[in-house]
Structure formats: C-alpha cells, structure tokens
Amino acid sequence: MRNSLLILGLLALAIGLLWIGQGTGVIKWPASSFMISQMQWAGYGAALAALGLILIWQSKR
C-alpha cells in the first residue's frame, strides 16, 4: 500500500508540475497543446501537485 501511494504521489506531482508549466506558458510542449498559457491549467496543476505531495507524505507515515 505504501509503495502504491508513493508511486501515485510522484505521478500526481510530476503531472501537476507539467500542468503548472504549461498553464503559465513556461513549458511549451507539445506545441499544439490547448493548455499553453491558460492560467486555469496552472491552478489545476497546483491542486494536483498538492495532492501528490499529500500522497507522498502519507506513504512515509
């Protein structure tokens, strides 16, 4: 169970950081992405990254 939480947490954190980068326009990959420079996706990414951090923290308890 702990390994599952850790893997899910790391995945959520990585995807959340990607969404933040795309939403703010810092990461322009892939070039045809509809998420580039759309601030709502930065917000979704922040929420997902926070969830990932919580899952990682829970896996270490």
Side-chain angles (χ1 to χ4, degrees):
M1 183 68 173
R2 288 183 183 189
N3 286 338
S4 299
L5 283 177
L6 180 61
I7 291 170
L8 282 174
L10 290 172
L11 223 98
L13 179 62
I15 293 171
L17 291 175
L18 175 66
W19 287 1
I20 291 170
Q22 286 182 325
T24 57
V26 173
I27 298 173
K28 296 184 188 281
W29 173 84
S32 62
S33 177
F34 61 92
M35 294 172 21
I36 294 174
S37 298
Q38 300 292 319
M39 285 305 291
Q40 74 184 37
W41 285 101
Y44 297 153
L48 186 60
L51 176 65
L53 288 174
I54 291 169
L55 290 175
I56 292 168
W57 176 69
Q58 284 293 319
S59 75
K60 299 296 182 182
R61 294 187 80 210

